[in-house]
Amino acid sequence: MTSDPLTAGPITVPADPGPFHCSPAHTALLIIDMQRDFVEPGGFGETLGNDVSLLRSVIPPLQRVRAASRAAGMAIIHTREGHRADLTDCPPAKLNRGEPSLRIGDAGPKGRILIRGEYGHDIIDELTPRTGEVVIDKPGKGAFYATELHELLQVAGITSLVVTGVTTEVCVHTTVREANDRGYECLVLSDCVGSYFPEFQQAGLAMIAAQGGIFGWVAPSAVYLDALSALCPAAVGAATGEEWS
Amino acid sequence: MIRTLTRSAAIGPVVADPYPWPYDGTVKADRVALICIDWQADFCGPGGYVDRMGYDIELTRAGLPGTARMLAHARATGMLVIHTREGHSPDLSDLPANKRWRSAQIGAEIGAPGPQGRILVRGEPGWKIVPEVAPLSGEVLIDKPGKGAFYATQLDLVLRTKHITHIVLTGITTDVCVHTTMREANDRGYECLILSDCTGATELGNHTAALRMVTMQGGVFGCVATSAGVIAATVAANPTGEGHDI
């Protein structure tokens, strides 16, 4: 038996471009920006003309993935993109770019847009963080820049990330790129990440697995759940319960 | 006498997608950094890392003529010129285990002997910048261990020390190192412009998709333009005086 952690993880997920190995004790489930303003009808994302149904399709599989990952003992980390009420952490280039009809901080349909503490900034009810789950507030697209995420993962001994959330080519991709440069192994679950633009969903996933997995691995949630259930039958029950709850 | 564009030059608005760049109208050239990413023999030279992986290096070389023009323009107008190089120390102590493992899986293990020296190791021939866009003495060189030019480097410190607020990006590959760096810069508040004719990818589809991603949602990471667009939008701030004659 080899003791190489890269090849001897307790679970193996068939993935693109090859098998993804990880140990649940050293793996975190990252749930990126499942916020009302991005995902719900009537939110900021929809007022910009986006079809939020493309993002909402990730909710049921992501609920199953969270339940199973919790049952397997994995750390669960949520992120939220947003800014302080006084906007002191919002760069002018982000605030003013492109002369948007609605700016960050303006009154929106679910409170001030992308402001911490507002209703629209918070995570959707279907995925409300549970006791023990971590919430990281980030001012940018990437979850590592100007946050405590890296330090938190180091302290917890996390070496691998299972990545979910929205949107695939913006915040998910930026975070996976940051994680990859920091040496984390990332598995992106293809049906648990979503984009307003189908072409970017496809291109974004293809870019992750290109060149031998230049940023990480990609697999559908079903094979991830299968791999977890082989290790931990309770994970399946948890996922199934979540589906019908 | 030749009148040159000098440090009083201003840039903008540049014809760009999705808005005239920059967001704040015009910018003095000395607040702009031209960042040339990873124009290394390993990525765009014959026998380098990318060539050995079986990709067509004509695709990664496509942006070299445009970048050479942009470099001349940046030097003439007083932009800060920065070159980056991806690579690792000879003892590989800054090479994450997963990066090494993956490179080995595709037959181009970082640190292994290659046609141009040890692959992606600092100081080796394949790691050096190709002559078409070689750095001049005094230009900033950033050695980076990752895809992004900000992570584990002094790039942000250099930019802030030089009072840089705007960044123009060239280099390879569009979807990997250029995009990662643009995303990092954008989160740090720099106003970014990526040049479509000065970049390239190992697959054309990845190049075009990466450029289009920039333009969505009002310019989620900044703007896309061409080198000709930047050059055309550069004017002396005071065309009747103040220029240096040479």
Side-chain angles (χ1 to χ4, degrees), chain B residues 18-33:
Chain B
Y19 58 89
W21 188 90
Y23 81 98
D24 46 354
T26 62
V27 57
K28 293 275 196 141
D30 61 5
R31 293 300 182 96
V32 181

Side-chain angles (χ1 to χ4, degrees), chain A residues 141-142 174 177 181 199 213, chain B residues 102 147-148 175 183 187 212 219:
Chain A
K141 308 304 179 194
T174 303
R177 288 162 188 261
D181 271 355
E199 68 171 293
Chain B
R102 280 185 230 158
K147 308 304 177 195
D175 53 317
R183 290 162 187 261
D187 271 355
R212 276 184 41 71

Side-chain angles (χ1 to χ4, degrees), chain A:
Chain A
M1 281 289 287
T2 172
S3 60
D4 181 355
L6 288 174
T7 56
I11 74 164
T12 299
V13 182
D16 187 19
F20 175 82
H21 308 281
C22 73
S23 156
H26 300 289
T27 304
L29 172 67
L30 201 52
I31 304 176
I32 296 177
D33 296 5
M34 291 297 291
Q35 294 161 259
R36 296 188 179 105
D37 258 341
F38 297 133
V39 175
E40 287 191 347
F44 174 51
E46 192 175 77
T47 66
L48 295 177
N50 296 305
D51 176 3
V52 296
S53 69
L54 292 168
L55 303 193
R56 296 190 66 75
S57 67
V58 312
I59 297 172
L62 185 43
Q63 287 178 302
R64 292 192 286 273
V65 162
R66 179 176 63 167
S69 302
R70 275 181 70 94
M74 286 167 49
I76 313 287
I77 301 172
H78 302 257
T79 72
R80 297 184 296 205
E81 180 174 349
H83 296 277
R84 297 160 58 104
D86 62 5
L87 298 178
T88 48
D89 59 353
C90 185
K94 182 177 183 181
L95 191 60
N96 297 320
R97 176 180 299 156
E99 298 185 355
S101 53
L102 278 176
R103 275 171 219 266
I104 294 165
D106 284 353
K110 294 176 188 282
R112 289 182 68 200
I113 290 167
L114 288 188
I115 299 297
R116 292 178 193 156
E118 299 288 336
Y119 182 76
H121 168 264
D122 209 353
I123 292 166
I124 58 172
D125 294 336
E126 294 91 330
L127 291 165
T128 299
R130 298 187 179 175
T131 305
E133 297 181 359
V134 174
V135 178
I136 299 280
D137 280 316
K138 62 186 178 69
K141 308 304 179 194
F144 285 86
Y145 174 62
T147 75
E148 66 276 34
L149 178 58
H150 182 57
E151 193 167 40
L152 185 150
L153 294 173
Q154 293 294 300
V155 168
I158 302 293
T159 54
S160 301
L161 299 173
V162 175
V163 185
T164 64
V166 297
T167 63
T168 308
E169 77 278 14
V170 183
C171 294
V172 172
H173 236 269
T174 303
T175 300
V176 168
R177 288 162 188 261
E178 289 179 324
N180 179 61
D181 271 355
R182 285 158 180 78
Y184 296 100
E185 308 274 21
C186 294
L187 171 67
V188 176
L189 299 182
S190 54
D191 54 334
C192 294
V193 294
S195 170
Y196 296 125
F197 310 101
E199 68 171 293
F200 291 153
Q201 172 77 4
Q202 188 181 13
L205 292 174
M207 279 179 191
I208 287 165
Q211 298 179 50
I214 194 153
F215 298 124
W217 286 260
V218 177
S221 64
V223 299
Y224 168 72
L225 292 172
D226 282 348
L228 270 189
S229 71
L231 176 80
C232 170
V236 183
T240 308
E242 184 74 33
E243 188 176 7
W244 298 106
S245 67

